[in-house]
Amino acid sequence: MKPPPFDYIRPRGLDEALAILATHGPDARPLAGGQSLIPLLNLRLARPSLLVDLAFIPGLADVQAENGTVVLGAMVRQRTVERDALIAQRVPLLAEATRLVGHPPIRNRGTIGGSLAHADPSAEYPAIALALDAELVVRSASRERVVPARDFFVDLFTTALAPGELLTAVRIPVPPPGAGWAIQEIARRHGDFALAGAAVLLRQAGDGTCEHAAIALFGVATRPLRATAAEHALTGQPLTAESIREAAALAVEAIDEPLSDVHGSAAYRQRMAGAVVRRALEEASRRAGT
Amino acid sequence: MARVSIGLTVNGQAVSAEVEPRMTLADFLRDELGLTGTKLGCEHGVCGACTVLIDGAAVRSCLMLAVQAEGADVLTIEGLSHNGLHPVQEAYWEHHGLQCGFCTPGMVLTAYAFLQERPDPSDEEIREALAGNLCRCTGYQNIVVAVRAAAEKLAGAR
């Protein structure tokens, strides 16, 4: 057996889970789909004293639509996100991004909440949450709070979650009809972690100029980033090859702490970031209607 | 660490056991149930050798704890066919889809789950479906050929 020893508890309700997390503090780790946590256990990079399995808690795996928002429970499996008709229709960027998350056997177990809370800088979901201005619903034994995605991802594998807190849902505003969207990434093989990726949402005004641009980068820095300077430069401009090229160059400048490892140097990732932003903007502008 | 009672179904048989929480499903299948058809390669979710079906869906049994399989219906390579080889296994055999055989149980179960969802896939879709399974000796070409042949066999049997 590879993992270090730990205790395991299977709460049957959310309040029970939150009480356990409150009592045990940082030594207890919530277990969602396990597709990030169990590798860390097998490699002994994580040594929790207690795993709190969320899979048997009713109500954490629902997909709901309410007032222009799609709400996904934290335990919604990635495979469900990929296939859900409501998500495909209202938030196609999320469905498309899911096809890039690992492989089907990973997505059969992995959850949207687990991926967001793990905050791998190369993962797709955190960048999608940023690009779509999602809100993360966080509960503890004593309170509930809602954290905007742009305040949630703090650093490498680090979020705004405090010990005792649990991500229970993500609320995604449905983009207006006609919004253009795209996700582009560069990875060694389909399903590998991105060496550089970009998720984009665009809205076009009646005169063909860009009314709103959201550009999120992943796989290039210690956390997913919004390329705000590039977004501002594009807003009010016609979406042309020229304006897109300029925005892509500006987006690269948003990378403040570039990742650099055996899979890709900082210089390589920065160059690829420019390429994926350009491709994503081109694809999104083709999809955008007025 | 307190052991935990689990009850699950493995290849159609009800199984109950007390396990350490840290025991992976893969270790449980191999070491407790003696089902050594499930192979362990990387043990961190990269190679796909340990793929089994949980409630009909392919998963990595090294990335699942046995305690998480409470109430689950598990299918391993031993349970794929009770009467000779399954058509997917036959196709691998006939088309040299295996050489040393280590990756084969995971490859076969991945292909089996994939073909249930997509009975008539393109080669591109087959390659994408197998992208999460590493083979270090057969070569992927014949594996793709075998999966395509398996799709035809299964279509013919329907």
Side-chain angles (χ1 to χ4, degrees):
Chain A
M1 280 182 284
K2 287 205 159 178
F6 48 79
D7 279 316
Y8 168 87
I9 195 159
R10 193 184 283 151
R12 302 283 170 166
L14 183 56
D15 289 341
E16 185 189 349
L18 294 171
I20 294 163
L21 291 171
T23 308
H24 289 83
D27 286 345
R29 291 287 296 271
L31 173 63
Q35 301 303 286
S36 301
L37 180 54
I38 296 179
L40 293 175
L41 294 172
N42 285 353
L43 296 165
R44 299 205 171 195
L45 293 170
R47 291 173 171 272
S49 61
L50 175 67
L51 288 192
V52 183
D53 192 345
L54 308 179
F56 297 83
I57 299 173
L60 279 185
D62 297 337
V63 179
Q64 291 167 306
E66 41 181 70
N67 303 331
T69 306
V70 171
V71 184
L72 291 92
M75 285 298 289
V76 174
R77 306 273 175 193
Q78 291 154 1
R79 201 72 166 142
T80 305
V81 178
E82 184 180 355
R83 293 168 164 176
D84 187 274
L86 183 82
I87 293 170
Q89 188 210 342
R90 305 203 185 181
V91 200
L93 174 57
L94 179 62
E96 173 101 345
T98 304
R99 296 191 57 243
L100 301 173
V101 179
H103 307 286
I106 302 289
R107 302 200 288 274
N108 281 332
R109 295 290 304 163
T111 65
I112 187 163
S115 176
L116 291 167
H118 183 56
D120 189 309
S122 300
E124 289 81 6
Y125 281 160
I128 296 298
L130 269 186
L132 295 175
D133 291 312
E135 293 179 327
L136 299 129
V137 182
V138 173
R139 287 274 307 267
S140 68
S142 55
R143 65 172 180 156
E144 175 176 304
R145 63 189 181 115
V146 175
V147 184
R150 62 174 67 219
D151 297 332
F152 188 76
F153 304 102
V154 176
D155 203 346
L156 205 61
F157 301 109
T158 307
T159 67
L161 288 170
E165 282 189 325
L166 187 68
L167 174 64
T168 56
V170 55
R171 309 166 63 90
I172 301 176
V174 175
W181 54 270
I183 180 165
Q184 286 283 335
E185 70 174 40
I186 288 169
R188 290 284 295 273
R189 294 172 307 169
H190 188 100
D192 283 2
F193 276 109
L195 300 172
V200 160
L201 187 73
L202 292 178
R203 283 205 314 270
Q204 218 172 5
D207 61 1
T209 58
C210 176
E211 196 173 68
H212 168 85
I215 303 170
L217 296 168
F218 58 101
V220 293
T222 51
R223 64 211 182 286
L225 297 171
R226 278 283 288 264
T228 42
E231 294 170 0
H232 291 148
L234 210 52
T235 307
Q237 298 296 312
L239 290 163
T240 62
E242 181 66 25
S243 67
I244 285 174
R245 214 171 20 247
E246 280 171 17
L250 276 173
V252 176
E253 289 175 21
I255 304 170
D256 49 359
E257 298 171 75
L259 285 182
S260 193
D261 60 22
V262 64
H263 304 293
S265 66
Y268 177 76
R269 286 170 193 263
Q270 281 166 310
R271 283 194 60 178
M272 293 307 106
V276 289
V277 169
R278 180 176 51 72
R279 289 175 198 170
L281 286 172
E282 286 168 355
E283 191 179 4
S285 69
R286 281 196 297 274
R287 284 193 177 121
T290 52
Chain B
M1 298 294 149
R3 294 167 80 91
V4 175
S5 298
I6 55 170
L8 62 160
T9 305
V10 179
N11 298 334
Q13 303 283 315
V15 173
S16 53
E18 288 214 334
V19 295
E20 266 192 78
R22 64 173 171 151
M23 176 173 271
T24 63
L25 178 61
D27 283 340
F28 177 72
L29 293 170
R30 289 176 53 84
D31 299 342
E32 301 295 310
L33 302 186
L35 297 172
T36 52
T38 300
K39 302 299 183 225
L40 280 168
C42 71
E43 294 187 67
H44 61 277
V46 174
C47 77
C50 68
T51 304
V52 300
L53 269 62
I54 302 284
D55 300 327
V59 308
R60 308 271 202 250
S61 63
C62 79
L63 294 193
M64 189 165 170
L65 302 169
V67 290
Q68 290 178 285
E70 167 70 17
D73 186 2
V74 183
L75 180 75
T76 71
I77 194 69
E78 290 89 345
L80 188 60
S81 174
H82 295 292
N83 190 12
L85 294 178
H86 185 273
V88 177
Q89 292 170 307
E90 275 178 12
Y92 272 70
W93 180 27
E94 289 164 0
H95 295 274
H96 197 90
L98 67 154
Q99 184 162 285
C100 85
F102 191 87
C103 72
T104 311
M107 284 281 185
V108 167
L109 286 173
T110 301
Y112 169 77
F114 167 65
L115 291 174
Q116 294 214 315
E117 283 173 20
R118 196 162 266 288
D120 184 23
S122 67
D123 278 9
E124 184 63 29
E125 288 169 330
I126 294 172
R127 287 171 189 278
E128 191 178 318
L130 296 175
N133 290 65
L134 297 185
C135 167
R136 301 280 84 142
C137 74
T138 312
Y140 298 102
Q141 193 60 41
N142 285 345
I143 296 175
V144 173
V145 171
V147 175
R148 194 193 311 129
E152 286 160 15
K153 266 178 196 285
L154 291 168
R158 267 195 298 273

